[in-house]
Structure formats: structure tokens, C-alpha cells
Amino acid sequence: MEGNLSLVGYGIATIGPAIAVGLIFAAYINGVARQPEARTLLQPIAILGFALAEALAIFGLVLFFL
């Protein structure tokens, strides 16, 4: 791929992680709102999911430069 086309590909590829982060934190907020005592259990799981989703975006960024 050449410069501009790979930039468009990276932009499209970041849509998935963005949607995933939104869904993860929406589920976290719903879970804490329904059961506040489960906050300490749900928070590390939400952060782990956030990290994994962001890793996909970072991999896409690295592939953009290759």
C-alpha cells in the first residue's frame, strides 16, 4: 500500500476499537449502576478489556508505519 491508501485503512481500522471501548465502558457503567457493590470486581475487567481494545488500535498504527 502507498501512503494515502494505508492512512485511510488505518482510519477505518480504528472504528472497531473505538466501538469496543464504548461498549466496554457502557457495560461497566450499567453493571455498577445495577449492582454498586460489584464495582471492585468489574473495574479491573473493564480496564483489561479497554487495554486489549486499544492494543488493536496500536497494532494498526504500527502496521501503518511498516
Side-chain angles (χ1 to χ4, degrees):
M1 287 190 172
E2 292 297 320
N4 290 338
L5 188 57
S6 62
L7 185 62
V8 171
Y10 174 68
I12 292 172
T14 57
I15 292 172
I19 292 171
V21 168
L23 291 175
I24 288 167
F25 282 106
Y28 172 69
I29 291 169
N30 280 335
V32 172
R34 288 177 184 234
Q35 199 168 8
E37 63 271 9
R39 181 177 158 246
T40 57
L41 178 67
L42 295 176
Q43 189 172 16
I45 296 170
I47 291 174
L48 178 65
F50 168 75
L52 290 174
E54 283 297 316
L56 290 175
I58 292 170
F59 288 147
L61 181 65
V62 169
L63 290 175
F64 168 71
F65 287 111
L66 292 179

Tab-separated table of all heavy atoms in Angstrom:
chain	number	residue	atom	x	y	z
A	1	MET	N	0.836	-1.177	0.000
A	1	MET	CA	0.000	0.000	0.000
A	1	MET	C	0.877	1.234	0.000
A	1	MET	O	1.932	1.275	0.592
A	1	MET	CB	-0.885	0.025	1.233
A	1	MET	CG	-1.999	-0.939	1.219
A	1	MET	SD	-3.103	-0.566	2.593
A	1	MET	CE	-4.402	-1.653	2.208
A	2	GLU	N	0.350	2.246	-0.611
A	2	GLU	CA	1.057	3.528	-0.619
A	2	GLU	C	0.516	4.417	0.489
A	2	GLU	O	-0.479	4.098	1.128
A	2	GLU	CB	0.880	4.186	-1.981
A	2	GLU	CG	1.577	3.448	-3.093
A	2	GLU	CD	3.081	3.400	-2.902
A	2	GLU	OE1	3.669	4.397	-2.475
A	2	GLU	OE2	3.666	2.337	-3.165
A	3	GLY	N	1.122	5.543	0.711
A	3	GLY	CA	0.858	6.431	1.837
A	3	GLY	C	-0.602	6.757	2.089
A	3	GLY	O	-1.123	6.494	3.152
A	4	ASN	N	-1.296	7.332	1.163
A	4	ASN	CA	-2.658	7.788	1.414
A	4	ASN	C	-3.635	6.649	1.610
A	4	ASN	O	-4.519	6.730	2.450
A	4	ASN	CB	-3.118	8.685	0.268
A	4	ASN	CG	-2.385	10.004	0.264
A	4	ASN	OD1	-1.859	10.420	1.288
A	4	ASN	ND2	-2.340	10.632	-0.896
A	5	LEU	N	-3.473	5.597	0.849
A	5	LEU	CA	-4.391	4.475	0.968
A	5	LEU	C	-4.222	3.767	2.312
A	5	LEU	O	-5.211	3.376	2.937
A	5	LEU	CB	-4.166	3.492	-0.176
A	5	LEU	CG	-5.170	2.356	-0.291
A	5	LEU	CD1	-6.586	2.912	-0.421
A	5	LEU	CD2	-4.847	1.493	-1.477
A	6	SER	N	-3.001	3.628	2.801
A	6	SER	CA	-2.810	2.993	4.100
A	6	SER	C	-3.321	3.879	5.228
A	6	SER	O	-3.782	3.385	6.253
A	6	SER	CB	-1.345	2.633	4.317
A	6	SER	OG	-0.548	3.780	4.321
A	7	LEU	N	-3.274	5.180	5.049
A	7	LEU	CA	-3.824	6.094	6.050
A	7	LEU	C	-5.335	5.935	6.150
A	7	LEU	O	-5.901	5.917	7.251
A	7	LEU	CB	-3.454	7.539	5.701
A	7	LEU	CG	-3.854	8.601	6.706
A	7	LEU	CD1	-3.158	8.364	8.034
A	7	LEU	CD2	-3.487	9.962	6.177
A	8	VAL	N	-5.983	5.776	5.023
A	8	VAL	CA	-7.426	5.546	5.016
A	8	VAL	C	-7.736	4.197	5.676
A	8	VAL	O	-8.678	4.076	6.460
A	8	VAL	CB	-7.975	5.593	3.576
A	8	VAL	CG1	-9.423	5.139	3.531
A	8	VAL	CG2	-7.845	6.988	3.003
A	9	GLY	N	-6.911	3.198	5.395
A	9	GLY	CA	-7.098	1.888	6.018
A	9	GLY	C	-6.945	1.943	7.514
A	9	GLY	O	-7.715	1.316	8.250
A	10	TYR	N	-5.956	2.698	7.992
A	10	TYR	CA	-5.795	2.833	9.432
A	10	TYR	C	-6.989	3.550	10.046
A	10	TYR	O	-7.461	3.176	11.115
A	10	TYR	CB	-4.505	3.574	9.787
A	10	TYR	CG	-4.402	3.843	11.250
A	10	TYR	CD1	-4.230	2.803	12.152
A	10	TYR	CD2	-4.523	5.131	11.750
A	10	TYR	CE1	-4.172	3.039	13.505
A	10	TYR	CE2	-4.463	5.370	13.092
A	10	TYR	CZ	-4.274	4.324	13.978
A	10	TYR	OH	-4.238	4.564	15.309
A	11	GLY	N	-7.475	4.558	9.385
A	11	GLY	CA	-8.646	5.272	9.894
A	11	GLY	C	-9.860	4.377	10.002
A	11	GLY	O	-10.608	4.433	10.982
A	12	ILE	N	-10.056	3.533	9.004
A	12	ILE	CA	-11.182	2.594	9.049
A	12	ILE	C	-10.958	1.541	10.123
A	12	ILE	O	-11.886	1.139	10.823
A	12	ILE	CB	-11.383	1.958	7.659
A	12	ILE	CG1	-11.873	3.017	6.675
A	12	ILE	CG2	-12.364	0.802	7.723
A	12	ILE	CD1	-11.911	2.558	5.241
A	13	ALA	N	-9.705	1.115	10.297
A	13	ALA	CA	-9.407	0.080	11.287
A	13	ALA	C	-9.590	0.562	12.718
A	13	ALA	O	-9.786	-0.242	13.616
A	13	ALA	CB	-7.978	-0.420	11.092
A	14	THR	N	-9.536	1.853	12.955
A	14	THR	CA	-9.713	2.348	14.319
A	14	THR	C	-11.173	2.424	14.730
A	14	THR	O	-11.466	2.656	15.899
A	14	THR	CB	-9.079	3.737	14.477
A	14	THR	OG1	-9.652	4.620	13.531
A	14	THR	CG2	-7.578	3.681	14.308
A	15	ILE	N	-12.078	2.217	13.802
A	15	ILE	CA	-13.500	2.255	14.147
A	15	ILE	C	-13.850	1.096	15.083
A	15	ILE	O	-14.590	1.269	16.048
A	15	ILE	CB	-14.359	2.220	12.866
A	15	ILE	CG1	-14.165	3.514	12.089
A	15	ILE	CG2	-15.832	2.023	13.199
A	15	ILE	CD1	-14.821	3.508	10.726
A	16	GLY	N	-13.283	-0.078	14.825
A	16	GLY	CA	-13.569	-1.254	15.652
A	16	GLY	C	-13.164	-1.069	17.099
A	16	GLY	O	-13.994	-1.271	18.006
A	17	PRO	N	-11.911	-0.690	17.379
A	17	PRO	CA	-11.530	-0.457	18.774
A	17	PRO	C	-12.334	0.669	19.433
A	17	PRO	O	-12.635	0.600	20.626
A	17	PRO	CB	-10.048	-0.095	18.689
A	17	PRO	CG	-9.576	-0.762	17.453
A	17	PRO	CD	-10.738	-0.700	16.512
A	18	ALA	N	-12.699	1.696	18.676
A	18	ALA	CA	-13.481	2.784	19.256
A	18	ALA	C	-14.852	2.286	19.701
A	18	ALA	O	-15.328	2.620	20.796
A	18	ALA	CB	-13.614	3.923	18.250
A	19	ILE	N	-15.475	1.479	18.860
A	19	ILE	CA	-16.774	0.913	19.225
A	19	ILE	C	-16.622	-0.031	20.413
A	19	ILE	O	-17.450	-0.032	21.340
A	19	ILE	CB	-17.400	0.199	18.013
A	19	ILE	CG1	-17.785	1.220	16.946
A	19	ILE	CG2	-18.614	-0.621	18.431
A	19	ILE	CD1	-18.213	0.608	15.634
A	20	ALA	N	-15.548	-0.814	20.428
A	20	ALA	CA	-15.316	-1.759	21.525
A	20	ALA	C	-15.137	-1.036	22.852
A	20	ALA	O	-15.706	-1.451	23.867
A	20	ALA	CB	-14.092	-2.626	21.221
A	21	VAL	N	-14.381	0.044	22.863
A	21	VAL	CA	-14.173	0.801	24.100
A	21	VAL	C	-15.504	1.367	24.595
A	21	VAL	O	-15.811	1.328	25.788
A	21	VAL	CB	-13.123	1.909	23.884
A	21	VAL	CG1	-13.095	2.875	25.051
A	21	VAL	CG2	-11.750	1.292	23.684
A	22	GLY	N	-16.298	1.876	23.692
A	22	GLY	CA	-17.610	2.392	24.074
A	22	GLY	C	-18.501	1.324	24.670
A	22	GLY	O	-19.164	1.547	25.693
A	23	LEU	N	-18.523	0.150	24.061
A	23	LEU	CA	-19.351	-0.946	24.575
A	23	LEU	C	-18.843	-1.448	25.916
A	23	LEU	O	-19.639	-1.792	26.805
A	23	LEU	CB	-19.389	-2.094	23.560
A	23	LEU	CG	-20.157	-1.811	22.273
A	23	LEU	CD1	-20.014	-2.990	21.313
A	23	LEU	CD2	-21.619	-1.565	22.570
A	24	ILE	N	-17.528	-1.519	26.081
A	24	ILE	CA	-16.953	-1.996	27.345
A	24	ILE	C	-17.347	-1.080	28.495
A	24	ILE	O	-17.810	-1.535	29.551
A	24	ILE	CB	-15.421	-2.105	27.223
A	24	ILE	CG1	-15.057	-3.286	26.333
A	24	ILE	CG2	-14.769	-2.251	28.595
A	24	ILE	CD1	-13.611	-3.297	25.892
A	25	PHE	N	-17.172	0.208	28.308
A	25	PHE	CA	-17.486	1.124	29.399
A	25	PHE	C	-18.991	1.306	29.589
A	25	PHE	O	-19.436	1.580	30.708
A	25	PHE	CB	-16.756	2.449	29.225
A	25	PHE	CG	-15.315	2.339	29.625
A	25	PHE	CD1	-14.325	2.309	28.678
A	25	PHE	CD2	-14.969	2.210	30.954
A	25	PHE	CE1	-12.999	2.177	29.037
A	25	PHE	CE2	-13.647	2.068	31.332
A	25	PHE	CZ	-12.661	2.053	30.376
A	26	ALA	N	-19.784	1.135	28.546
A	26	ALA	CA	-21.239	1.147	28.718
A	26	ALA	C	-21.675	-0.041	29.565
A	26	ALA	O	-22.509	0.105	30.469
A	26	ALA	CB	-21.931	1.121	27.361
A	27	ALA	N	-21.089	-1.204	29.310
A	27	ALA	CA	-21.414	-2.383	30.109
A	27	ALA	C	-20.938	-2.218	31.544
A	27	ALA	O	-21.624	-2.614	32.496
A	27	ALA	CB	-20.796	-3.627	29.481
A	28	TYR	N	-19.781	-1.603	31.724
A	28	TYR	CA	-19.259	-1.357	33.075
A	28	TYR	C	-20.175	-0.411	33.852
A	28	TYR	O	-20.508	-0.674	35.019
A	28	TYR	CB	-17.841	-0.788	32.982
A	28	TYR	CG	-17.292	-0.314	34.300
A	28	TYR	CD1	-16.983	-1.225	35.316
A	28	TYR	CD2	-17.084	1.036	34.548
A	28	TYR	CE1	-16.492	-0.784	36.528
A	28	TYR	CE2	-16.594	1.469	35.753
A	28	TYR	CZ	-16.292	0.562	36.745
A	28	TYR	OH	-15.811	0.991	37.949
A	29	ILE	N	-20.593	0.656	33.218
A	29	ILE	CA	-21.474	1.622	33.891
A	29	ILE	C	-22.810	0.980	34.225
A	29	ILE	O	-23.348	1.176	35.322
A	29	ILE	CB	-21.645	2.881	33.007
A	29	ILE	CG1	-20.324	3.642	32.964
A	29	ILE	CG2	-22.763	3.759	33.524
A	29	ILE	CD1	-20.292	4.747	31.936
A	30	ASN	N	-23.359	0.194	33.304
A	30	ASN	CA	-24.614	-0.500	33.587
A	30	ASN	C	-24.457	-1.484	34.736
A	30	ASN	O	-25.332	-1.598	35.591
A	30	ASN	CB	-25.106	-1.242	32.345
A	30	ASN	CG	-25.797	-0.311	31.374
A	30	ASN	OD1	-26.316	0.721	31.762
A	30	ASN	ND2	-25.795	-0.688	30.110
A	31	GLY	N	-23.350	-2.201	34.754
A	31	GLY	CA	-23.121	-3.172	35.822
A	31	GLY	C	-22.979	-2.517	37.174
A	31	GLY	O	-23.547	-2.996	38.170
A	32	VAL	N	-22.271	-1.412	37.228
A	32	VAL	CA	-22.093	-0.710	38.504
A	32	VAL	C	-23.395	-0.040	38.934
A	32	VAL	O	-23.706	0.002	40.132
A	32	VAL	CB	-20.939	0.311	38.398
A	32	VAL	CG1	-20.862	1.191	39.618
A	32	VAL	CG2	-19.624	-0.424	38.201
A	33	ALA	N	-24.168	0.448	37.974
A	33	ALA	CA	-25.443	1.068	38.324
A	33	ALA	C	-26.426	0.043	38.879
A	33	ALA	O	-27.196	0.337	39.789
A	33	ALA	CB	-26.042	1.759	37.103
A	34	ARG	N	-26.389	-1.164	38.356
A	34	ARG	CA	-27.307	-2.198	38.834
A	34	ARG	C	-26.852	-2.818	40.147
A	34	ARG	O	-27.679	-3.196	40.976
A	34	ARG	CB	-27.448	-3.310	37.798
A	34	ARG	CG	-28.228	-2.904	36.590
A	34	ARG	CD	-28.256	-4.022	35.577
A	34	ARG	NE	-28.940	-3.579	34.392
A	34	ARG	CZ	-29.964	-4.226	33.860
A	34	ARG	NH1	-30.390	-5.325	34.414
A	34	ARG	NH2	-30.518	-3.771	32.783
A	35	GLN	N	-25.542	-2.946	40.295
A	35	GLN	CA	-25.018	-3.609	41.485
A	35	GLN	C	-23.751	-2.869	41.949
A	35	GLN	O	-22.630	-3.259	41.604
A	35	GLN	CB	-24.703	-5.071	41.172
A	35	GLN	CG	-24.608	-5.930	42.373
A	35	GLN	CD	-24.595	-7.392	41.989
A	35	GLN	OE1	-24.510	-7.751	40.814
A	35	GLN	NE2	-24.664	-8.240	42.985
A	36	PRO	N	-23.921	-1.809	42.722
A	36	PRO	CA	-22.760	-0.984	43.098
A	36	PRO	C	-21.691	-1.736	43.884
A	36	PRO	O	-20.516	-1.386	43.811
A	36	PRO	CB	-23.380	0.123	43.959
A	36	PRO	CG	-24.806	0.143	43.620
A	36	PRO	CD	-25.161	-1.247	43.195
A	37	GLU	N	-22.061	-2.751	44.624
A	37	GLU	CA	-21.062	-3.491	45.409
A	37	GLU	C	-20.127	-4.325	44.525
A	37	GLU	O	-19.073	-4.758	44.983
A	37	GLU	CB	-21.726	-4.378	46.464
A	37	GLU	CG	-22.606	-5.464	45.898
A	37	GLU	CD	-24.040	-5.009	45.703
A	37	GLU	OE1	-24.329	-3.804	45.844
A	37	GLU	OE2	-24.878	-5.875	45.398
A	38	ALA	N	-20.473	-4.523	43.257
A	38	ALA	CA	-19.628	-5.292	42.336
A	38	ALA	C	-18.612	-4.402	41.614
A	38	ALA	O	-17.903	-4.877	40.724
A	38	ALA	CB	-20.486	-6.018	41.315
A	39	ARG	N	-18.516	-3.148	42.010
A	39	ARG	CA	-17.611	-2.207	41.337
A	39	ARG	C	-16.161	-2.671	41.376
A	39	ARG	O	-15.447	-2.593	40.375
A	39	ARG	CB	-17.734	-0.838	41.989
A	39	ARG	CG	-16.860	0.195	41.356
A	39	ARG	CD	-17.072	1.553	41.987
A	39	ARG	NE	-15.886	2.334	41.723
A	39	ARG	CZ	-15.043	2.753	42.644
A	39	ARG	NH1	-15.289	2.517	43.902
A	39	ARG	NH2	-13.991	3.435	42.316
A	40	THR	N	-15.735	-3.169	42.512
A	40	THR	CA	-14.330	-3.594	42.628
A	40	THR	C	-14.041	-4.816	41.773
A	40	THR	O	-12.903	-5.033	41.380
A	40	THR	CB	-13.977	-3.884	44.087
A	40	THR	OG1	-14.861	-4.885	44.605
A	40	THR	CG2	-14.079	-2.628	44.934
A	41	LEU	N	-15.041	-5.621	41.504
A	41	LEU	CA	-14.866	-6.786	40.640
A	41	LEU	C	-14.906	-6.402	39.161
A	41	LEU	O	-14.137	-6.928	38.350
A	41	LEU	CB	-15.944	-7.826	40.943
A	41	LEU	CG	-15.929	-9.094	40.101
A	41	LEU	CD1	-14.675	-9.907	40.417
A	41	LEU	CD2	-17.164	-9.908	40.332
A	42	LEU	N	-15.789	-5.472	38.811
A	42	LEU	CA	-15.987	-5.106	37.408
A	42	LEU	C	-14.915	-4.154	36.874
A	42	LEU	O	-14.590	-4.190	35.684
A	42	LEU	CB	-17.364	-4.472	37.215
A	42	LEU	CG	-18.559	-5.371	37.462
A	42	LEU	CD1	-19.844	-4.575	37.339
A	42	LEU	CD2	-18.553	-6.538	36.491
A	43	GLN	N	-14.351	-3.327	37.733
A	43	GLN	CA	-13.400	-2.316	37.267
A	43	GLN	C	-12.146	-2.916	36.635
A	43	GLN	O	-11.754	-2.491	35.546
A	43	GLN	CB	-13.034	-1.374	38.395
A	43	GLN	CG	-12.230	-0.187	37.942
A	43	GLN	CD	-12.042	0.823	39.049
A	43	GLN	OE1	-12.250	0.511	40.218
A	43	GLN	NE2	-11.677	2.019	38.676
A	44	PRO	N	-11.486	-3.909	37.240
A	44	PRO	CA	-10.303	-4.478	36.568
A	44	PRO	C	-10.643	-5.175	35.251
A	44	PRO	O	-9.855	-5.133	34.302
A	44	PRO	CB	-9.754	-5.486	37.574
A	44	PRO	CG	-10.404	-5.185	38.849
A	44	PRO	CD	-11.661	-4.467	38.564
A	45	ILE	N	-11.815	-5.773	35.188
A	45	ILE	CA	-12.222	-6.432	33.949
A	45	ILE	C	-12.443	-5.403	32.846
A	45	ILE	O	-12.032	-5.600	31.698
A	45	ILE	CB	-13.490	-7.280	34.189
A	45	ILE	CG1	-13.185	-8.414	35.165
A	45	ILE	CG2	-14.029	-7.833	32.877
A	45	ILE	CD1	-14.411	-9.152	35.648
A	46	ALA	N	-13.059	-4.272	33.202
A	46	ALA	CA	-13.284	-3.214	32.216
A	46	ALA	C	-11.962	-2.616	31.744
A	46	ALA	O	-11.786	-2.349	30.552
A	46	ALA	CB	-14.181	-2.122	32.805
A	47	ILE	N	-11.032	-2.428	32.658
A	47	ILE	CA	-9.739	-1.857	32.273
A	47	ILE	C	-8.961	-2.830	31.397
A	47	ILE	O	-8.311	-2.427	30.432
A	47	ILE	CB	-8.955	-1.439	33.524
A	47	ILE	CG1	-9.658	-0.240	34.174
A	47	ILE	CG2	-7.509	-1.104	33.187
A	47	ILE	CD1	-9.086	0.186	35.488
A	48	LEU	N	-9.035	-4.126	31.692
A	48	LEU	CA	-8.382	-5.127	30.853
A	48	LEU	C	-8.983	-5.141	29.445
A	48	LEU	O	-8.250	-5.178	28.441
A	48	LEU	CB	-8.492	-6.515	31.490
A	48	LEU	CG	-7.884	-7.661	30.685
A	48	LEU	CD1	-6.378	-7.484	30.572
A	48	LEU	CD2	-8.234	-8.989	31.326
A	49	GLY	N	-10.292	-5.071	29.361
A	49	GLY	CA	-10.941	-5.013	28.053
A	49	GLY	C	-10.563	-3.764	27.289
A	49	GLY	O	-10.345	-3.804	26.078
A	50	PHE	N	-10.497	-2.637	28.003
A	50	PHE	CA	-10.076	-1.379	27.380
A	50	PHE	C	-8.660	-1.503	26.834
A	50	PHE	O	-8.375	-1.079	25.703
A	50	PHE	CB	-10.169	-0.257	28.399
A	50	PHE	CG	-9.512	1.018	27.968
A	50	PHE	CD1	-10.105	1.832	27.019
A	50	PHE	CD2	-8.307	1.404	28.510
A	50	PHE	CE1	-9.503	3.005	26.618
A	50	PHE	CE2	-7.697	2.575	28.121
A	50	PHE	CZ	-8.299	3.379	27.168
A	51	ALA	N	-7.757	-2.096	27.611
A	51	ALA	CA	-6.362	-2.240	27.177
A	51	ALA	C	-6.260	-3.135	25.942
A	51	ALA	O	-5.493	-2.838	25.016
A	51	ALA	CB	-5.516	-2.787	28.310
A	52	LEU	N	-7.019	-4.218	25.931
A	52	LEU	CA	-6.977	-5.116	24.773
A	52	LEU	C	-7.541	-4.436	23.518
A	52	LEU	O	-6.988	-4.597	22.422
A	52	LEU	CB	-7.736	-6.404	25.069
A	52	LEU	CG	-7.078	-7.332	26.088
A	52	LEU	CD1	-8.005	-8.499	26.414
A	52	LEU	CD2	-5.746	-7.837	25.585
A	53	ALA	N	-8.616	-3.680	23.691
A	53	ALA	CA	-9.194	-2.981	22.536
A	53	ALA	C	-8.245	-1.908	22.021
A	53	ALA	O	-8.100	-1.727	20.806
A	53	ALA	CB	-10.545	-2.376	22.911
A	54	GLU	N	-7.583	-1.197	22.924
A	54	GLU	CA	-6.640	-0.177	22.492
A	54	GLU	C	-5.397	-0.790	21.864
A	54	GLU	O	-4.756	-0.167	21.014
A	54	GLU	CB	-6.247	0.710	23.668
A	54	GLU	CG	-7.308	1.705	24.032
A	54	GLU	CD	-7.585	2.685	22.913
A	54	GLU	OE1	-6.622	3.189	22.305
A	54	GLU	OE2	-8.769	2.950	22.642
A	55	ALA	N	-5.049	-1.996	22.291
A	55	ALA	CA	-3.902	-2.669	21.681
A	55	ALA	C	-4.139	-2.905	20.202
A	55	ALA	O	-3.201	-2.806	19.396
A	55	ALA	CB	-3.613	-3.973	22.398
A	56	LEU	N	-5.381	-3.193	19.836
A	56	LEU	CA	-5.696	-3.378	18.412
A	56	LEU	C	-5.442	-2.096	17.631
A	56	LEU	O	-4.893	-2.131	16.520
A	56	LEU	CB	-7.149	-3.812	18.246
A	56	LEU	CG	-7.493	-5.209	18.718
A	56	LEU	CD1	-8.995	-5.442	18.591
A	56	LEU	CD2	-6.730	-6.241	17.925
A	57	ALA	N	-5.802	-0.970	18.216
A	57	ALA	CA	-5.560	0.310	17.536
A	57	ALA	C	-4.059	0.584	17.438
A	57	ALA	O	-3.591	1.104	16.416
A	57	ALA	CB	-6.267	1.430	18.288
A	58	ILE	N	-3.316	0.238	18.478
A	58	ILE	CA	-1.864	0.465	18.447
A	58	ILE	C	-1.205	-0.441	17.415
A	58	ILE	O	-0.298	-0.019	16.690
A	58	ILE	CB	-1.274	0.277	19.859
A	58	ILE	CG1	-1.782	1.403	20.765
A	58	ILE	CG2	0.253	0.268	19.816
A	58	ILE	CD1	-1.471	1.208	22.219
A	59	PHE	N	-1.659	-1.694	17.313
A	59	PHE	CA	-1.133	-2.588	16.274
A	59	PHE	C	-1.414	-2.027	14.892
A	59	PHE	O	-0.575	-2.096	13.995
A	59	PHE	CB	-1.728	-3.987	16.388
A	59	PHE	CG	-1.227	-4.775	17.556
A	59	PHE	CD1	-2.053	-5.671	18.195
A	59	PHE	CD2	0.065	-4.633	18.017
A	59	PHE	CE1	-1.613	-6.397	19.276
A	59	PHE	CE2	0.524	-5.354	19.094
A	59	PHE	CZ	-0.312	-6.239	19.728
A	60	GLY	N	-2.595	-1.459	14.705
A	60	GLY	CA	-2.922	-0.837	13.428
A	60	GLY	C	-2.021	0.337	13.119
A	60	GLY	O	-1.606	0.537	11.981
A	61	LEU	N	-1.706	1.114	14.149
A	61	LEU	CA	-0.808	2.253	13.958
A	61	LEU	C	0.591	1.788	13.583
A	61	LEU	O	1.233	2.362	12.699
A	61	LEU	CB	-0.756	3.101	15.233
A	61	LEU	CG	0.125	4.341	15.181
A	61	LEU	CD1	-0.431	5.331	14.167
A	61	LEU	CD2	0.221	4.969	16.548
A	62	VAL	N	1.051	0.717	14.220
A	62	VAL	CA	2.380	0.175	13.892
A	62	VAL	C	2.389	-0.351	12.459
A	62	VAL	O	3.347	-0.116	11.708
A	62	VAL	CB	2.774	-0.924	14.893
A	62	VAL	CG1	3.997	-1.668	14.425
A	62	VAL	CG2	3.007	-0.319	16.267
A	63	LEU	N	1.331	-1.030	12.073
A	63	LEU	CA	1.263	-1.557	10.707
A	63	LEU	C	1.182	-0.439	9.679
A	63	LEU	O	1.624	-0.610	8.542
A	63	LEU	CB	0.074	-2.503	10.559
A	63	LEU	CG	0.208	-3.823	11.301
A	63	LEU	CD1	-1.086	-4.623	11.168
A	63	LEU	CD2	1.385	-4.621	10.795
A	64	PHE	N	0.630	0.691	10.069
A	64	PHE	CA	0.585	1.842	9.167
A	64	PHE	C	1.993	2.291	8.807
A	64	PHE	O	2.271	2.642	7.666
A	64	PHE	CB	-0.187	2.989	9.811
A	64	PHE	CG	-0.036	4.300	9.095
A	64	PHE	CD1	-0.634	4.495	7.862
A	64	PHE	CD2	0.713	5.322	9.643
A	64	PHE	CE1	-0.491	5.696	7.192
A	64	PHE	CE2	0.858	6.524	8.981
A	64	PHE	CZ	0.255	6.711	7.753
A	65	PHE	N	2.904	2.261	9.773
A	65	PHE	CA	4.254	2.741	9.518
A	65	PHE	C	5.143	1.700	8.843
A	65	PHE	O	6.236	2.036	8.397
A	65	PHE	CB	4.911	3.211	10.819
A	65	PHE	CG	4.350	4.516	11.301
A	65	PHE	CD1	3.585	4.574	12.443
A	65	PHE	CD2	4.574	5.680	10.591
A	65	PHE	CE1	3.064	5.764	12.880
A	65	PHE	CE2	4.055	6.881	11.015
A	65	PHE	CZ	3.292	6.927	12.167
A	66	LEU	N	4.718	0.441	8.801
A	66	LEU	CA	5.539	-0.584	8.153
A	66	LEU	C	5.350	-0.583	6.658
A	66	LEU	O	4.529	-0.194	6.042
A	66	LEU	CB	5.204	-1.969	8.713
A	66	LEU	CG	5.608	-2.169	10.156
A	66	LEU	CD1	5.208	-3.575	10.595
A	66	LEU	CD2	7.084	-1.992	10.360
